Amino acid sequence: MADAIPCTWMRGGTSKGAYFLKSDLPTDESARDALLLSIMGSPDPRQIDGIGGADPLCSKVAVVSSSSRSDADIDYLFLQVYVDQPIVTDAQNCGNILAGVGQFALENRLCEPQSGETKISVYMVNSDQVAEVTVQTPNGSVTYDGDAHIDGVPGSSAAVLQNFPQAAGSSCGALLPTGNAVDVVDGVALTCIDNGMPVVVMRASDLGIVGYESREELDANTTLKKQLESIRLQVGPMMNLGDVSEKSVPKMTLVAPPRNGGAITTRTFIPHRCHASIGVLGAVSVATACMLPESPAAELAEIPPGTEKLISVEHPIGETGVVMQVAFSDGGIKVHKAALLRTARKLFSGLAFPSQ
């Protein structure tokens, strides 16, 4: 039997993934990726020979280590393991999996807990930025029990607060990588934006749908998916992402007016399957697009008053609230705050066995 690897399986936000210490994985990236594919059971639509959940949202990996940076406590590398292809990519962040990184680091003694709550500075390796994460540590110990609730997850758990003060341009080099609030591709007006996650925001009606369809309806709409992929491949170079044919970014988000008391309704493709909800950093990017006066999102969004605004991003199974504070100057926008609440739960910890 192949050598076993220490592994913790956690729900982070509305995703699930395997958390590893960097020191437990091969230093060679090709060997590391081959190991992770084996552990997750990819490529196989069911991931039947691994621990993956047969869904992109349940086929994720966090690689965590102590940080040598003066502005960070730990380093976090996110890896998306494709389900039905032999691909492991670091082309994006994942704010949902980030929700479990602080607890994992504390339980593996990469940093010291405080009494009550512990603030951890996390260097997000994928995008060269630092996020601020606050986890609950009553009496100096990690807890997963609490009364915080997020849509898409039954029950309640301990609150995890996330703030992304350095998110703008994390992958594309600029908040608006094309230099425009609005571009037109294949006759569709869209906003290319990167406030933690590269996202293309379009009106659902411009793609021939209403924007309130179920995930299953949209996944079955092959015409829509072909349209989206055509646009995605064209905007990849425009967003400084190069050829994105084998990349998981940019995400494609279709927006419609809110209908459940939020600010905007979304349906997001990640990139070829409709998301059950919306990614954390995807929600941050969409919320930011709602603040751009010329964007398709702003035309449909209902923005609350006040300097600090709670932008409720509706998705197929609920909503994700993003606290935004922005300023406008010289024809541009500056994001001062982009924060939100997540939860996490440890599901098991032990040894993962790759195939021979």
Side-chain angles (χ1 to χ4, degrees):
M1 183 173 288
D3 291 340
I5 307 295
C7 172
T8 297
W9 188 250
M10 295 183 72
R11 174 188 62 77
T14 54
S15 294
K16 287 194 291 188
Y19 291 66
F20 297 95
L21 291 172
K22 181 180 180 181
S23 57
D24 288 332
L25 295 174
T27 56
D28 177 77
E29 289 187 8
S30 295
R32 179 201 68 194
D33 291 353
L35 175 69
L36 295 177
L37 287 166
S38 173
I39 289 174
M40 300 300 279
S42 298
D44 172 47
R46 294 191 297 157
Q47 291 183 319
I48 195 65
D49 201 37
I51 65 175
D55 186 293
L57 303 182
C58 303
S59 187
K60 299 184 174 187
V61 168
V63 181
V64 186
S65 60
S66 296
S67 183
S68 61
R69 295 171 58 97
S70 60
D71 59 350
D73 300 307
I74 59 173
D75 292 348
Y76 156 52
L77 172 68
F78 171 71
L79 298 171
Q80 178 70 59
V81 180
Y82 278 50
V83 174
D84 55 358
Q85 299 181 61
I87 296 174
V88 178
T89 177
D90 63 358
Q92 67 178 75
N93 282 319
C94 182
N96 275 308
I97 293 299
L98 173 65
V101 165
Q103 298 92 321
F104 178 81
L106 289 168
E107 291 184 340
N108 282 276
R109 302 188 179 186
L110 299 182
C111 46
E112 291 298 319
Q114 305 301 310
S115 181
E117 63 181 28
T118 302
K119 294 182 179 180
I120 302 172
S121 296
V122 182
Y123 175 59
M124 302 176 74
V125 177
N126 304 69
S127 56
D128 189 29
Q129 63 173 321
V130 175
E132 300 169 352
V133 177
T134 302
V135 300
Q136 304 306 303
T137 52
N139 302 315
S141 299
V142 170
T143 183
Y144 297 95
D145 297 327
D147 56 9
H149 170 78
I150 60 173
D151 286 335
V153 178
S156 62
S157 303
V160 179
L161 299 179
Q162 300 177 337
N163 186 26
F164 303 96
Q166 301 178 3
S170 58
S171 297
C172 302
L175 180 69
L176 299 174
T178 70
N180 306 314
V182 182
D183 292 286
V184 178
V185 178
D186 286 352
V188 177
L190 49 85
T191 296
C192 298
I193 190 165
D194 173 18
N195 197 17
M197 177 66 68
V199 177
V200 182
V201 182
M202 301 154 284
R203 285 181 291 262
S205 58
D206 289 345
L207 276 297
I209 65 170
V210 295
Y212 307 116
E213 291 86 351
S214 69
R215 182 190 193 193
E216 291 73 23
E217 287 178 273
L218 294 176
D219 274 339
N221 190 336
T222 56
T223 299
L224 171 66
K225 292 168 77 171
K226 286 179 181 178
Q227 287 179 288
L228 290 175
E229 185 64 1
S230 173
I231 294 171
R232 196 179 77 88
L233 294 177
Q234 293 176 70
V235 300
M238 294 167 57
M239 297 180 72
N240 301 317
L241 295 170
D243 180 2
V244 297
S245 57
E246 294 190 356
K247 294 181 180 179
S248 57
V249 289
K251 311 302 186 187
M252 310 296 283
T253 296
L254 307 175
V255 295
R259 65 175 186 179
N260 294 310
I264 194 78
T265 293
T266 62
R267 296 294 186 266
T268 299
F269 285 78
I270 54 170
H272 304 126
R273 295 175 66 177
C274 186
H275 203 305
S277 55
I278 190 170
V280 167
L281 292 163
V284 172
S285 288
V286 171
T288 308
C290 289
M291 308 294 287
L292 294 169
E294 301 175 17
S295 75
E299 294 177 7
L300 304 175
E302 296 183 7
I303 304 298
T307 303
E308 190 170 280
K309 306 174 188 294
L310 175 62
I311 307 298
S312 173
V313 179
E314 298 178 1
H315 51 70
I317 55 176
E319 67 87 34
T320 297
V322 183
V323 177
M324 297 290 305
Q325 186 175 355
V326 302
F328 297 91
S329 62
D330 301 323
I333 182 173
K334 170 118 179 123
V335 179
H336 292 295
K337 185 175 185 180
L340 67 169
L341 179 145
R342 295 278 87 187
T343 66
R345 189 168 80 86
K346 183 165 66 173
L347 303 177
F348 73 73
S349 183
L351 299 174
F353 293 87
S355 60
Q356 293 285 359

